Amino acid sequence: MRRTDPRLQIMTEAIERLIPGAVPAEMIVYVIEKLADGGQHEWSGRPKSLAEKLFTALYGRPRAAEQSSPLAQAEDAKRRRDLGAELDILMDAGAALASAPWYPARAGDLVHVHYEAGGLSDASGETYRISAGADGFLSMQLLCHTLPDTEDLDGLVGCFAIEDDPDPLTDLWFEAGPHRLTIVRDGRPVHIGGAR
């Protein structure tokens, strides 16, 4: 899930609101130039396409904003008091996980989470191993990490380890985000989050 520049989103929504109560997915914008000889030139497209053309003319090509986790995106929507967007983000993230071709996790899978450089540390990562749990579900144990050994990170190292859970990837998927995860099954990557 990518977030777009808020200016592009505002332009798109302004175009979609030209017809009060319209369903944005069903909208098409027509621009017609009437020629002196009675002919015409036409352009048609979705509101998003028109917004991208306007945005490009004003600011240059739109770029995806920095990726963030589904939970961070939902928190942004919550701050905007947009309950619909908050629920959509969480439901879409859950559906993306559940519909992944490698889902569900299996015992023996390796899961690596990458952390960008930030205030507390340089870029780093943690690797977890999924194994059979004692009560029939799956567990995820921290195998190794490259986080610095400092008091500032106590409680954060290995925070995604979990015992006997029906879906041990859920917290990682929502909190860290699928874009930070690499999942390896039988020695082959089945999910490379940073890949475009």
Side-chain angles (χ1 to χ4, degrees):
M1 253 183 260
R2 286 187 178 167
R3 292 179 52 203
T4 57
D5 187 302
R7 297 172 297 182
L8 178 57
Q9 193 167 352
I10 290 166
M11 286 180 181
T12 304
E13 289 170 2
I15 295 166
E16 292 170 348
R17 279 183 267 183
L18 288 172
I19 302 173
V23 178
E26 301 297 324
M27 291 182 76
I28 296 177
V29 179
Y30 293 100
V31 178
I32 300 171
E33 175 192 17
K34 300 260 184 202
L35 301 174
D37 65 3
Q40 64 185 31
H41 292 136
E42 297 180 17
W43 177 89
S44 64
R46 300 272 180 207
K48 182 178 179 182
S49 297
L50 177 58
E52 286 175 356
K53 286 182 180 296
L54 294 170
F55 185 94
T56 301
L58 292 169
Y59 309 110
R61 293 210 39 84
R63 292 183 297 228
E66 180 181 322
Q67 286 185 315
S68 58
S69 71
L71 191 58
Q73 292 175 41
E75 287 296 323
D76 287 345
K78 187 176 190 175
R79 277 190 289 282
R80 293 189 315 267
R81 294 193 166 117
D82 188 347
L83 180 61
E86 181 182 358
L87 292 174
D88 285 347
I89 290 163
L90 295 174
M91 297 293 287
D92 288 350
L97 174 60
S99 66
W102 45 264
Y103 182 84
R106 295 184 196 160
D109 287 354
L110 296 176
V111 182
H112 179 79
V113 59
H114 170 76
Y115 301 109
E116 301 294 333
L120 295 177
S121 67
D122 294 333
S124 57
E126 294 179 305
T127 302
Y128 293 87
R129 178 176 55 108
I130 296 179
S131 60
D135 295 323
F137 293 117
L138 295 172
S139 296
M140 193 162 62
Q141 300 89 22
L142 178 68
L143 283 180
C144 61
H145 68 88
T146 58
L147 294 162
D149 294 324
T150 66
E151 291 178 20
D152 293 338
L153 296 175
D154 282 349
L156 295 178
V157 174
C159 65
F160 292 110
I162 193 164
E163 293 294 324
D164 255 342
D165 190 281
D167 196 351
L169 294 176
T170 300
D171 288 348
L172 259 175
W173 191 265
F174 279 84
E175 291 182 34
H179 63 289
R180 294 182 187 272
L181 301 181
T182 300
I183 300 170
V184 177
R185 176 171 293 155
D186 300 327
R188 296 178 186 260
V190 293
H191 174 80
I192 304 173
R196 298 237 183 258

